[in-house]
Amino acid sequence: MAFDGTWKLDHTENYDKFMEVMGVDEKLAAQDNLKMTIKQNGTQFSVTEQDVSSTSNSIFRLDEKIEYKLPGVSKKLVGTWKLHGKKMEGNFTRKDNNKQLKITYETVGAEFILTLLLEGVEAKKIFKRE
């Protein structure tokens, strides 16, 4: 599938501002050096996210409610992932303050783009295949 593979963070767009809205220390945000490994088997996904401070593994199915934690961030989320054409969209609620967070995965050419949207602030993480 299009998402399958290991992806290494290449660059970000507006990530510092997003992390500020998330309530995460800028120094911690600057240390983020994310690598993601994604495997899809039908509607089931296995995602390993590794940064400088932690590794998280999640296995989930599309359209099923899950609890999720962004790597390097101590904010827990609850929501679902859905596939919309070539995009995978996650709509989550932060457990600490009930704010809505939207996460989108998509591949564009040779890049994997992770888009985060919270309180009108959008950030992108652009990855290259490792």
Side-chain angles (χ1 to χ4, degrees):
M1 296 293 174
F3 302 114
D4 281 2
T6 299
W7 303 90
K8 180 133 177 80
L9 183 64
D10 184 63
H11 65 280
T12 64
E13 297 173 4
N14 204 36
Y15 190 60
D16 289 342
K17 179 65 176 169
F18 174 81
M19 292 302 270
E20 182 181 308
V21 171
M22 277 291 288
V24 176
D25 185 292
E26 288 180 38
K27 291 177 186 170
L28 179 62
Q31 295 175 5
D32 188 3
N33 189 18
L34 188 60
K35 182 176 11 176
M36 296 180 68
T37 302
I38 302 172
K39 294 178 185 170
Q40 181 182 1
N41 183 9
T43 62
Q44 181 173 303
F45 285 79
S46 170
V47 179
T48 300
E49 298 170 294
Q50 182 178 7
D51 66 12
V52 295
S53 63
S54 65
T55 298
S56 67
N57 298 299
S58 52
I59 297 173
F60 57 88
R61 291 192 177 280
L62 296 173
D63 300 315
E64 288 184 6
K65 191 174 187 176
I66 63 164
E67 188 169 296
Y68 178 70
K69 184 175 156 265
L70 291 171
V73 180
S74 62
K75 312 296 183 197
K76 290 184 181 178
L77 312 166
V78 174
T80 59
W81 287 101
K82 296 185 181 291
L83 203 55
H84 296 282
K86 295 184 179 187
K87 291 183 182 183
M88 191 161 82
E89 296 179 353
N91 289 296
F92 293 92
T93 302
R94 283 182 50 176
K95 290 182 88 173
D96 63 329
N97 61 14
N98 289 325
K99 292 183 180 178
Q100 301 299 304
L101 172 65
K102 182 176 181 178
I103 305 170
T104 304
Y105 291 172
E106 65 182 312
T107 53
V108 178
E111 296 180 328
F112 172 75
I113 302 171
L114 187 159
T115 304
L116 302 154
L117 179 63
L118 177 68
E119 295 184 336
V121 176
E122 182 179 276
K124 292 186 180 207
K125 291 183 166 192
I126 294 87
F127 296 78
K128 301 283 186 186
R129 196 176 292 273
E130 188 173 76

